[in-house]
Amino acid sequence: DTGVSQDPRHKITKRGQNVTFRCDPISEHNRLYWYRQTLGQGPEFLTYFQNEAQLEKSRLLSDRFSAERPKGSFSTLEIQRTEQGDSAMYLCASEGGPATQYFGPGTRLTVL
Amino acid sequence: QKEVEQDPGPLSVPEGAIVSLNCTYSNSAFQYFMWYRQYSRKGPELLMYTYSSGNKEDGRFTAQVDKSSKYISLFIRDSQPSDSATYLCAMSEQAGTALIFGKGTTLSVSS
């Protein structure tokens, strides 16, 4: 199965530390999205890449967050100086047909 | 008012029941409508995808879109305990843009 994969699946960190998450999309998909989901809420959009170009960023993406997609393959999402409010599930999705986004299993972040 | 409204439930039904899940939205520019199923602590799984208005059927699942009323539905026939999950509606204006999600409805099917 060559679905979307994410690593790590769980991350526990202390407030103020930096964390980095990785997403490997479905290989033939050019578009890659990052979302954040908190308990009892639907996923909220963070940012979006077409190939290596970051085309859109949500206002949720503060300057402590940065995302990259070198060479248009995998993507990384880094959070600097983590805060307790960053605790959430971070989801990656890649887009196949029009608007059909396939999600990975997510990375669950806990900031102590 | 949020762009997409979805009753969080919980919704509890006996095995074999027909389940109706619904979302309303305010943005008339939405053209793509999706339903995702999410099990606890897992990523959302795409169930149904509809472009514009109309119905779409896939096995026990039927998705309906009524753009005039800004209302979408997902019907599950012959519900099974394995259908117990959170169901998220999502929509977008065009391809290559972010999906806007509802909060999700938690469904429990008892055997």
Side-chain angles (χ1 to χ4, degrees):
Chain A
D1 184 350
T2 55
V4 178
S5 61
Q6 292 187 246
D7 184 69
R9 296 291 305 279
H10 306 276
K11 179 70 177 179
I12 300 173
T13 191
K14 292 182 179 179
R15 189 176 53 190
Q17 298 294 304
N18 299 344
V19 294
T20 300
F21 310 141
R22 176 179 171 127
C23 170
D24 287 89
I26 296 170
S27 58
E28 62 267 26
H29 290 179
N30 294 329
R31 293 176 176 150
L32 184 150
Y33 300 78
W34 285 97
Y35 292 82
R36 180 172 69 185
Q37 185 177 26
T38 53
L39 198 61
Q41 303 295 319
E44 293 178 294
F45 170 72
L46 292 178
T47 190
Y48 148 55
F49 291 85
Q50 175 144 343
N51 299 312
E52 66 274 11
Q54 188 173 18
L55 297 186
E56 189 177 350
K57 291 193 285 187
S58 162
R59 64 182 183 279
L60 291 176
L61 209 69
S62 77
D63 56 5
R64 296 185 297 106
F65 287 69
S66 62
E68 295 182 339
R69 193 182 181 196
K71 302 178 183 177
S73 56
F74 70 92
S75 176
T76 59
L77 177 69
E78 181 182 17
I79 309 174
Q80 295 183 328
R81 305 181 303 281
T82 52
E83 302 173 356
Q84 287 184 324
D86 296 331
S87 295
M89 173 83 93
Y90 289 84
L91 293 161
C92 174
S94 68
E95 186 171 275
T100 52
Q101 296 182 20
Y102 297 91
F103 283 81
T107 294
R108 182 170 296 277
L109 173 66
T110 302
V111 181
L112 302 176
Chain B
Q1 182 190 11
K2 294 199 71 173
E3 277 193 290
V4 179
E5 299 279 359
Q6 184 176 11
D7 185 340
L11 181 61
S12 296
V13 301
E15 183 176 358
I18 297 174
V19 175
S20 172
L21 304 166
N22 311 295
C23 288
T24 59
Y25 62 94
S26 57
N27 184 353
S28 58
F30 285 144
Q31 297 189 81
Y32 296 90
F33 303 91
M34 276 69 65
W35 285 96
Y36 286 84
R37 178 173 62 195
Q38 186 173 30
Y39 293 111
S40 180
R41 298 182 175 267
K42 305 289 187 184
E45 172 194 6
L46 180 63
L47 275 180
M48 301 287 286
Y49 156 79
T50 309
Y51 172 70
S52 193
S53 283
N55 295 355
K56 189 170 186 178
E57 188 173 322
D58 184 2
R60 297 185 295 112
F61 298 90
T62 299
Q64 289 185 350
V65 175
D66 182 348
K67 291 189 72 178
S68 62
S69 301
K70 298 191 182 71
Y71 188 87
I72 69 170
S73 301
L74 178 71
F75 297 95
I76 307 174
R77 291 181 298 280
D78 187 25
S79 56
Q80 303 294 309
S82 58
D83 295 328
S84 298
T86 297
Y87 290 81
L88 296 154
C89 63
M91 32 199 97
S92 69
E93 294 184 17
Q94 55 189 326
T97 60
L99 297 180
I100 308 300
F101 282 85
K103 283 189 173 184
T105 300
T106 299
L107 170 67
S108 176
V109 181
S110 56
S111 57

